[in-house]
Amino acid sequence: MDSKKLFEESNRYLMNTYSRYPLALRKGRGIRVWSSDGKEYLDFVGGVAVNILGHCHPKVVVALQKQAQRLIHVSNYFHIEPQIKLAKLLVEHSFADRVFFCNSGAEAIEAAIKLTRKFAKEKMNPARFEILTALNSFHGRTLAAVTATAQEKFHKGFEPLVPGFRYVPFNDIDALKGAVTRETCAVLLEPIQGEGGVNIPDENYLKAVRELCNENNLLLILDEVQTGMGRTGKLFAYEHYGITPDIMTVAKGLGGGVPIGAMLATERVSESFQPGNHASTFGGNPLVCAAGVATLDTILEDGFLLDHCNRMSSYFIERLEHLHAAFPNLIQEVRGKGLLIGMELTGEGGPVVTACLEKGMLINCTAVNVLRFLPPLTVQQKDIDKLIEVLNRIFMKV
Ligand SMILES: *Cc1c(COP(=O)(O)O)cnc(C)c1O
């Protein structure tokens, strides 16, 4: 189908929930993607942090092919081998003792909220149900997840929201302390805010949050949907901060491109979920879990990929800092951890994204003026060089 017809039918048949670029992608390999009319792009959006190993990584493709021939789906009434394998891998490489599988980030957040409420009712006090979350956070679009998301623009039109959430400024331990009441049972945070503009907390913030939670007998829930699976240079971002949460959500990178989410927790907290309490028809099905095992195995192999991610991160940030120095009037700040990198502009980022697209570079802008780069962990120096060259040319013309 030619592109014009594709866009027409897209606008005709799909609900109008996304504003899309006039571009349809039909093939990908590594960091490269090709449009329906054959043009090549470097993809620094990576399916918004999903394609952690790049597009169509051979190990993920083979795992999917093999599993698709063997068994695609069975119900959670039965034991599922790839699901058990993936859970074991996640437990062996994290703080957690148990895993619940679902299909997306928002669903993982829903599971975390439900587990928290049940735990609080049973082990704390039935009056404690309030969860504190951070301003500018993002936790997904289902009704509870969007309520947890402390950004008005996502709430508008969908009230009444779910009761039991209150918001505090991110990276402000005193504000958090002041907000804890007798009803509070948990704190839910992204270790680094992704959609909110790549906001990295002070070195000691999460440690102070952990201590506050311990002192007040609150659960700490970390949303690692975007930061997990090696994105920040460690398998999970909490590892940077010398703490562990009680509950963690992951999704995006977990399946190397297939829809899968997971909620992980300690044994103590997991005990509150018993048969019948929570479920998902598709959650943890054989096909997606086979992809998850292949993805996690590849990330963990000799730590090679995480080392590479950290080297590319330093290089990328250094190159962006050069741009910052060259265009101090256009660029406000460069910040990032691993390959979750933001460049805050002094003006809106939208036109830069469009200009990049015209020059064969896919990038993203979040929080209005923050260019966000989420390349696969396999990104190479020469890919980064090409992007920097394009950005340089764009900024020269402004
Ligand atoms: C993307 C994201 C979500 C929502 O994930 P979906 O799969 O879109 O439901 C939740 N939390 C964080 C931190 C995210 O980045």
Side-chain angles (χ1 to χ4, degrees):
M1 210 187 289
D2 73 73
S3 306
K4 193 166 159 273
K5 179 130 194 271
L6 219 62
F7 304 152
E8 259 171 36
E9 297 200 346
S10 177
N11 293 333
R12 162 75 182 79
Y13 291 111
L14 292 166
M15 287 230 185
N16 196 20
T17 50
Y18 306 98
S19 52
R20 300 176 201 262
Y21 296 99
L23 176 64
L25 300 168
R26 61 185 300 270
K27 185 177 148 176
R29 281 289 178 284
I31 196 171
R32 284 181 172 63
V33 285
W34 289 270
S35 70
S36 48
D37 21 66
K39 195 174 165 201
E40 184 180 309
Y41 296 84
L42 288 190
D43 184 2
F44 282 85
V45 182
V48 196
V50 167
N51 299 301
I52 196 90
L53 300 175
H55 293 277
C56 299
H57 189 281
K59 291 208 173 132
V60 176
V61 171
V62 168
L64 280 168
Q65 283 170 334
K66 281 193 177 159
Q67 190 59 48
Q69 285 178 337
R70 190 178 300 132
L71 184 68
I72 293 176
H73 180 83
V74 286
S75 150
N76 277 305
Y77 294 141
F78 311 104
H79 296 280
I80 298 171
E81 198 175 324
Q83 184 184 115
I84 299 161
K85 264 193 192 163
L86 183 55
K88 187 173 172 197
L89 268 177
L90 286 167
V91 165
E92 283 172 353
H93 291 94
S94 75
F95 74 96
D97 300 305
R98 290 181 186 271
V99 185
F100 173 83
F101 286 107
C102 51
N103 313 286
S104 68
E107 277 179 63
I109 289 290
E110 289 284 334
I113 293 167
K114 285 181 72 177
L115 180 61
T116 298
R117 282 194 173 185
K118 190 125 190 310
F119 178 86
K121 276 205 172 62
E122 289 171 2
K123 303 276 173 69
M124 294 177 182
N125 165 347
R128 287 177 68 179
F129 61 89
E130 187 180 72
I131 299 174
L132 301 176
T133 73
L135 293 172
N136 291 319
S137 56
F138 185 81
H139 300 293
R141 303 294 200 121
T142 60
L143 206 46
V146 89
T147 307
T149 297
Q151 298 195 56
E152 231 170 84
K153 66 175 178 193
F154 295 122
H155 295 167
K156 244 178 110 190
F158 301 109
E159 302 87 350
L161 299 175
V162 175
F165 292 88
R166 216 144 40 80
Y167 314 127
V168 295
F170 186 60
N171 195 27
D172 182 342
I173 191 66
D174 292 327
L176 188 63
K177 270 183 193 157
V180 175
T181 70
R182 290 207 314 235
E183 273 97 59
T184 312
C185 66
V187 177
L188 163 59
L189 295 170
E190 297 155 90
I192 295 170
Q193 292 187 330
E195 302 303 306
V198 191
N199 303 321
I200 303 172
D202 295 340
E203 208 51 53
N204 53 11
Y205 173 67
L206 286 169
K207 204 164 221 166
V209 173
R210 178 72 267 183
E211 279 163 16
L212 181 71
C213 288
N214 292 349
E215 284 159 16
N216 293 278
N217 188 24
L218 309 173
L219 294 183
L220 175 58
I221 311 163
L222 288 182
D223 181 352
E224 295 234 21
V225 167
Q226 187 155 157
T227 54
M229 304 310 292
R231 173 58 57 191
T232 69
K234 296 209 185 261
L235 189 58
F236 301 109
Y238 71 77
E239 297 171 43
H240 290 288
Y241 299 104
I243 58 144
T244 58
D246 301 290
I247 299 176
M248 173 173 76
T249 53
V250 288
K252 293 198 164 103
L254 178 58
V258 301
I260 179 171
M263 188 265 299
L264 290 73
T266 60
E267 184 67 30
R268 176 177 81 105
V269 178
S270 301
E271 277 169 11
S272 290
F273 265 178
Q274 291 299 316
N277 290 152
H278 196 51
S280 165
T281 299
F282 288 116
N285 100 355
L287 189 72
V288 295
C289 285
V293 169
T295 304
L296 195 46
D297 269 341
T298 307
I299 295 170
L300 292 170
E301 246 169 13
D302 304 328
F304 163 80
L305 209 49
L306 292 181
D307 288 345
H308 179 77
C309 167
N310 286 311
R311 276 197 306 277
M312 290 303 106
S313 171
S314 305
Y315 182 72
F316 202 161
I317 290 173
E318 188 191 311
R319 296 297 314 264
L320 290 170
E321 283 294 5
H322 281 151
L323 280 183
H324 181 194
F327 302 101
N329 297 332
L330 302 176
I331 300 167
Q332 187 104 27
E333 190 183 45
V334 175
R335 49 185 185 253
K337 242 191 173 54
L339 291 168
L340 169 54
I341 297 175
M343 183 159 75
E344 185 172 340
L345 305 180
T346 52
E348 293 200 358
V352 180
V353 175
T354 306
C356 277
L357 186 77
E358 282 159 10
K359 295 179 167 55
M361 294 287 156
L362 306 184
I363 66 166
N364 168 260
C365 173
T366 189
V368 184
N369 65 338
V370 181
L371 300 183
R372 183 174 45 164
F373 309 104
L374 299 155
L377 304 188
T378 53
V379 65
Q380 300 292 313
Q381 267 189 19
K382 61 181 192 320
D383 306 321
I384 296 168
D385 290 341
K386 278 187 191 150
L387 174 69
I388 297 290
E389 195 190 305
V390 165
L391 286 171
N392 188 56
R393 264 191 286 152
I394 292 168
F395 290 135
M396 297 258 273
K397 276 202 211 143
V398 177

